Amino acid sequence: MKICILSGSTLGTAEYVAEHLEEALKKQGFSTILYHGANYDEVIDEPLWLIVTSTHGAGEIPDNLRPLFDQIMQSNLNLCNLRFAIVGLGNSDYDTFCYAAKRIEQILSAKNAFKLCDTLTIDVLNVDDPESYSEQWLPQFIQALA
């Protein structure tokens, strides 16, 4: 089973978290492929996504992921064969805290994709090491794959 990891990042933290999770998954024997900003044609047929995204601006999906989700939103695809999980990074000082993760979940759920487990939200104000913090969530994701 291959896990397609999609990172959406503005300042790079989500990329680091995605890379860290990829390494942790590989150590546990999973096959992975990592995209920092994914192209629709590259990933649309992958059945398992782990999305790691920051939120930027007024709650927007980062520029390197927005085209993918715009295209999904505008399509009449049925993504019932897609399973996904999300790690969202944000700053709790903003009322749009981790809004990009929520928006991605709404888009995928509207297309009948299946959410595997609770979204991990990382508050960069209160979490000093987002990579280690995300790794503590990983068993929940792995258990949901079974």
Side-chain angles (χ1 to χ4, degrees):
M1 167 186 338
K2 182 170 65 172
I3 301 168
C4 183
I5 304 169
L6 312 177
S7 85
S9 193
T10 307
L11 302 174
T13 308
E15 285 183 12
Y16 301 139
V17 170
E19 289 165 0
H20 184 82
L21 290 174
E22 181 186 34
E23 284 308 309
L25 286 163
K26 280 182 175 175
K27 281 181 189 158
Q28 295 187 44
F30 288 94
S31 167
T32 62
I33 184 162
L34 174 61
Y35 295 98
H36 293 307
N39 222 317
Y40 180 86
D41 293 331
E42 293 172 321
V43 300
I44 202 62
D45 293 325
E46 295 287 344
L48 179 57
W49 291 1
L50 174 54
I51 302 151
V52 182
T53 185
S54 61
T55 295
H56 88 101
E60 281 102 35
I61 295 170
D63 290 342
N64 65 337
L65 270 188
R66 189 178 314 128
L68 170 65
F69 288 99
D70 285 349
Q71 199 165 353
I72 290 170
M73 219 170 26
Q74 292 158 11
S75 75
N76 38 13
L77 284 176
N78 182 351
L79 296 177
C80 63
N81 294 324
L82 174 65
R83 298 181 305 152
F84 72 95
I86 304 173
V87 174
L89 292 91
N91 178 328
S92 61
D93 274 353
Y94 295 92
D95 57 358
T96 55
F97 174 64
C98 286
Y99 190 77
K102 292 176 186 137
R103 188 72 195 109
I104 287 170
E105 181 182 337
Q106 290 168 346
I107 291 167
L108 292 177
S109 296
K111 300 294 181 184
N112 301 313
F114 179 76
K115 184 179 171 188
L116 285 163
C117 58
D118 289 339
T119 295
L120 173 65
T121 56
I122 300 174
D123 182 356
V124 295
L125 283 184
N126 298 311
V127 175
D128 292 331
D129 184 354
E131 289 94 340
S132 298
Y133 189 80
S134 66
E135 196 172 342
Q136 294 168 22
W137 166 87
L138 208 52
Q140 184 182 338
F141 171 68
I142 291 169
Q143 188 176 359
L145 295 176

